[in-house]
Amino acid sequence: LIFAGAGSGKTRVLTHKVFHLVQQGLFEPEEILAVTFTNKAAKEMETRVKNLLSIDNLSLSIGTFHSICAKILREDIKVLGFSNSFAIYDVKDQLDLIKVLFEQNNISKNIISPNQLRNQISLYKNKMIDPETVKRKARTRLEKTISNTYSEYQKSLKINDALDFDDLLTFPLEIFDKKPSVLKKYQNRWKYILVDEYQDTNRAQFEILTLLAKEHQNICVVGDDDQSIYGWRGADVSNILDFEN
């Protein structure tokens, strides 16, 4: 665990760490997984590592949580009954689908707006709360409306062979749970894991890292608990504070 404040060179630390692991012959580039939070950071990291190693073609897995998970799903999502060419819905696609569900079920926008419902569903997914759990706990009219629509929303996505952005994080966990041999494949593929901006990880991201790193126990995370600003979308600062446990 590396605590590093803003502007103290977190990306530099990670890129030099990758350089060291490869240059010293400790790991092959393809055995290393580096995870960042933005595509820009991933690109920057890749460029720096290539320059340090003086190679043009790098067989290293560097990307955001979402892009790495999307690759896992393109390979193995058939376990969950989707095709490998599934669609990924953006915010507009999600809202269009929710509006259709509003019409079908005569839901008044005075109760909740489509965008508020989309945000609520996203928060549930980031905290790994499934539709059944929400349904079980629903008491008020609003809670029942949310739980029913969340459930229908997930069914409609499956019918359309589509995932939303949050599913990209939770579906690999479902696959690992249903088919341990798939998890084993990725544990053997990535023997060293590095993570940037670790303070911004949510529960699903924490679970993914825990499972992937379980076999070889090689994980290096960089972050700063003072910079955790994504609590509103499920980020859990206790992931970094309890890292050693």
Side-chain angles (χ1 to χ4, degrees):
L1 168 64
I2 301 167
F3 271 110
S8 59
K10 286 200 283 284
T11 312
R12 186 171 181 272
V13 166
L14 284 181
T15 47
H16 279 76
K17 177 95 180 162
V18 173
F19 170 61
H20 169 78
L21 293 173
V22 175
Q23 194 205 31
Q24 297 294 314
L26 301 170
F27 295 90
E28 294 300 320
E30 57 271 21
E31 293 176 328
I32 298 170
L33 169 66
V35 191
T36 65
F37 267 83
T38 64
N39 290 317
K40 186 170 173 267
K43 204 84 216 124
E44 165 80 0
M45 203 165 159
E46 192 173 354
T47 306
R48 288 199 203 181
V49 174
K50 279 179 181 172
N51 290 340
L52 284 169
L53 290 167
S54 306
I55 49 174
D56 295 329
N57 204 356
L58 189 65
S59 53
L60 191 71
S61 296
I62 297 182
T64 63
F65 273 101
H66 289 90
S67 69
I68 297 291
C69 286
K71 281 178 188 160
I72 290 173
L73 294 172
R74 291 279 177 218
E75 243 179 84
D76 292 292
I77 199 166
K78 284 187 175 169
V79 174
L80 302 180
F82 289 77
S83 80
N84 295 107
S85 56
F86 61 85
I88 299 172
Y89 276 16
D90 61 17
V91 174
K92 186 188 174 298
D93 299 325
Q94 287 178 274
L95 286 172
D96 286 346
L97 174 54
I98 289 169
K99 282 170 188 169
V100 169
L101 297 175
F102 267 50
E103 274 176 40
Q104 284 175 356
N105 298 300
N106 292 322
I107 298 168
S108 164
K109 288 177 185 168
N110 295 331
I111 301 176
I112 189 168
S113 74
N115 199 42
Q116 284 171 319
L117 185 67
R118 189 197 77 83
N119 290 337
Q120 186 57 59
I121 289 173
S122 178
L123 196 61
Y124 282 143
K125 289 185 180 185
N126 280 313
K127 292 188 171 179
M128 293 176 65
I129 303 170
D130 61 25
E132 284 65 45
T133 307
V134 177
K135 210 168 233 178
R136 237 184 5 258
K137 293 183 175 177
R139 297 287 176 269
T140 66
R141 183 185 169 201
L142 174 62
E143 287 168 351
K144 285 173 182 168
T145 302
I146 292 170
S147 73
N148 289 335
T149 316
Y150 178 16
S151 183
E152 284 189 35
Y153 170 79
Q154 282 307 102
K155 284 173 190 161
S156 301
L157 281 176
K158 187 154 193 182
I159 290 164
N160 294 330
D161 196 30
L163 278 64
D164 67 22
F165 214 52
D166 298 310
D167 291 330
L168 294 177
L169 298 179
T170 55
F171 278 29
L173 291 167
E174 284 188 42
I175 292 171
F176 295 160
D177 186 47
K178 282 191 173 169
K179 213 165 180 196
S181 61
V182 175
L183 171 59
K184 198 93 186 127
K185 175 175 80 172
Y186 291 104
Q187 286 175 334
N188 290 331
R189 182 178 297 180
W190 294 315
K191 294 177 178 158
Y192 203 106
I193 300 170
L194 303 105
V195 191
D196 199 7
E197 306 291 0
Y198 188 70
Q199 76 279 353
D200 291 333
T201 49
N202 61 31
R203 184 166 168 212
Q205 290 160 334
F206 170 78
E207 298 276 351
I208 289 164
L209 292 170
T210 303
L211 287 171
L212 290 177
K214 203 171 182 181
E215 182 73 18
H216 299 283
Q217 305 275 314
N218 293 319
I219 183 162
C220 170
V221 306
V222 182
D224 176 13
D225 55 327
D226 289 335
Q227 284 187 74
S228 182
I229 53 169
Y230 290 114
W232 55 274
R233 68 171 191 209
D236 186 354
V237 74
S238 68
N239 288 346
I240 194 166
L241 298 176
D242 299 339
F243 180 80
E244 284 155 286
N245 297 334

